[in-house]
Amino acid sequence: MIRLRTALTAFFALDGFLFAGWVVRIPAVKQQTGASAGDLGLALLGVSAGAVATMMLTGRLCRRFGNAPVTVAAGVLISLGVALPPLAGSALALGLLLLVFGSAYGAVNVAMNSAAVDLVAALRRPVMPAFHAAFSLGGMLGAGLGGLLAGRLTVGRHLTLLAVAGLLVTAVAGRTLLRHPLPPAAAGRTTREPGTAARHSPARGDAPAGRHPRGTVAVLGLIALCTAYGEGALADWSALHLTEDLGAGPGVAAAGYSVFALAMTAGRLSGTALVHRLGEVRTLVGGGLTAACGMLLGSLAPTVWAALAGFVVTGFGLANIFPVAIGRAGALAGPRGVAAASTLGYGGMLLGPVAIGFLAEGTSLPRALTSVAALAAVAATVAWAARHSLRGDGARASAGRAVGGR
């Protein structure tokens, strides 16, 4: 079980590492293609469009072939895909190449989160935030390495090295994941409600018996959307904001996403204790409000260091919203729930790059980034308004089980 958890954690870390390695080189690719802010926003749409297009398909593939094989296959694809952007000579070509990269990114996210939901159920321990902490840690390392290599390697050589590293990690971790299938507790779960006989849950995390909680999954997807918008905005635009608006150098600009990822990692490592102490609804509401305040500082601060402080606060605020939302959706409806909530969630990334790009051209990039604060506040409001539904469906799905502490 420990080896299986370690291998799955490696895939989360790899996903964050590869994605961050790409985003810190966006300024170099922008310069290489000669794209304007609006053109770059449209090109970046390729990542989100590809991800959203493949997520529901990946959910079906997981149900047919299993979560582990699909996770390994997607790991190979995203490792190869990260080397594609430097091949672009125009904004249009960049968008098409990012469509391929985004498709792999969406596939690996659904597959590994579906596998994580099953493993959490088998472990009967609330470890979902720890998996997402690995993603954030990988992002921090990828951004930090990108900052160090930005002035030493061309973007093509840098991303090619990342592709090679990704294939090596996938080969090692994938072998463990395929050789050590999930234990029977995850493949076929029994749950016991207080005062009733045990009942069998469907295999591979399918929806619990009874009413399919589509409404609750949709609400969770909307909350995830607001979170993904913020994460995507900082990934795609933080380096440009620090460089073009505040005069930071390439290394400091790369640190913008790095400190955000560090805060996300720290917040998610403490996420289990936070959810136990506050509960899911208060975690969602508090996180949204904290992120809104942090992003107002990060986008409107007049100095680099104040902006970096705002990114840190934003990272702490957003840290546990996405894991809680996706983990709950998976607990309620298995891979189908993960895919549905993820598709809605990554709609935030679909909307974010384009919206911020056009807002930046119409006003300014700092003002455009305040939309992240607005959507974080929306996430908090939606979570509070739907608190009775979230608690009710959560109790029905989680009775007798410690699925992510939820």
Side-chain angles (χ1 to χ4, degrees):
M1 187 78 74
I2 294 176
R3 295 181 66 183
L4 183 60
R5 180 179 173 183
T6 301
L8 189 55
T9 299
F11 275 100
F12 275 86
L14 176 64
D15 188 31
F17 180 77
L18 295 178
F19 186 73
W22 144 245
V23 299
V24 299
R25 300 310 300 261
I26 287 176
V29 174
K30 178 177 182 290
Q31 183 178 13
Q32 173 183 308
T33 58
S36 66
D39 290 338
L40 179 62
L42 287 173
L44 293 174
L45 177 64
V47 177
S48 301
V52 171
T54 58
M55 281 180 170
M56 294 305 295
L57 173 62
T58 304
R60 297 189 188 98
L61 292 175
C62 286
R63 292 195 299 275
R64 181 172 181 178
F65 299 107
N67 297 327
V70 178
T71 299
V72 175
V76 172
L77 292 177
I78 193 173
S79 298
L80 296 174
V82 76
L84 295 178
L87 302 178
S90 66
L92 176 60
L94 178 62
L96 293 175
L97 292 175
L98 290 179
L99 187 67
V100 178
F101 175 63
S103 297
Y105 181 73
V108 75
N109 272 271
V110 170
M112 69 185 184
N113 272 290
S114 297
V117 168
D118 279 353
L119 185 56
V120 167
L123 291 171
R124 296 177 178 269
R125 294 173 55 197
V127 297
M128 180 63 88
F131 287 122
H132 286 263
F135 172 86
S136 298
L137 179 60
M140 181 186 68
L141 294 176
L145 180 63
L148 291 175
L149 297 179
R152 296 176 173 84
L153 290 179
T154 65
V155 63
R157 290 181 179 179
H158 176 201
L159 296 187
T160 298
L161 287 176
L162 293 188
V164 173
L167 291 173
L168 291 175
V169 172
T170 300
V172 175
R175 183 179 180 182
T176 300
L177 203 62
L178 294 174
R179 287 193 173 188
H180 299 273
L182 287 172
R189 307 172 191 145
T190 57
T191 62
R192 183 184 300 274
E193 300 209 17
T196 66
R199 55 188 172 87
H200 184 72
S201 294
R204 291 198 177 277
D206 287 342
R211 180 179 62 85
H212 185 72
R214 293 184 179 89
T216 304
V217 170
V219 169
L220 292 166
L222 177 60
I223 293 170
L225 181 152
C226 296
T227 305
Y229 183 100
E231 291 190 51
L234 281 165
D236 292 345
W237 295 101
S238 61
L240 286 174
H241 172 52
L242 293 173
T243 301
E244 298 183 357
D245 298 317
L246 300 177
V252 176
Y257 184 73
S258 183
V259 298
F260 170 75
L262 176 61
M264 291 277 285
T265 303
R268 286 173 172 174
L269 287 174
S270 60
T272 296
L274 187 68
V275 173
H276 273 306
R277 184 184 182 103
L278 300 180
E280 287 185 337
V281 173
R282 289 180 180 175
T283 299
L284 294 173
V285 174
L289 294 177
T290 300
C293 295
M295 200 57 207
L296 285 176
L297 175 62
S299 58
L300 301 178
T303 66
V304 170
W305 301 112
L308 291 176
F311 293 163
V312 170
V313 175
T314 304
F316 279 118
L318 294 180
N320 293 295
I321 300 178
F322 197 90
V324 168
I326 299 301
R328 165 59 63 215
L332 291 173
R336 185 182 293 108
V338 171
S342 296
T343 300
L344 286 171
Y346 284 99
M349 287 191 176
L350 184 70
L351 174 66
V354 178
I356 291 179
F358 281 109
L359 286 172
E361 284 199 337
T363 56
S364 66
L365 182 55
R367 291 182 180 179
L369 288 173
T370 61
S371 62
V372 175
L375 283 186
V378 169
T381 302
V382 170
W384 180 252
R387 61 190 182 280
H388 299 301
S389 175
L390 292 175
R391 288 168 178 161
D393 281 338
R396 283 190 291 272
S398 305
R401 290 188 295 153
V403 181
R406 298 182 276 285

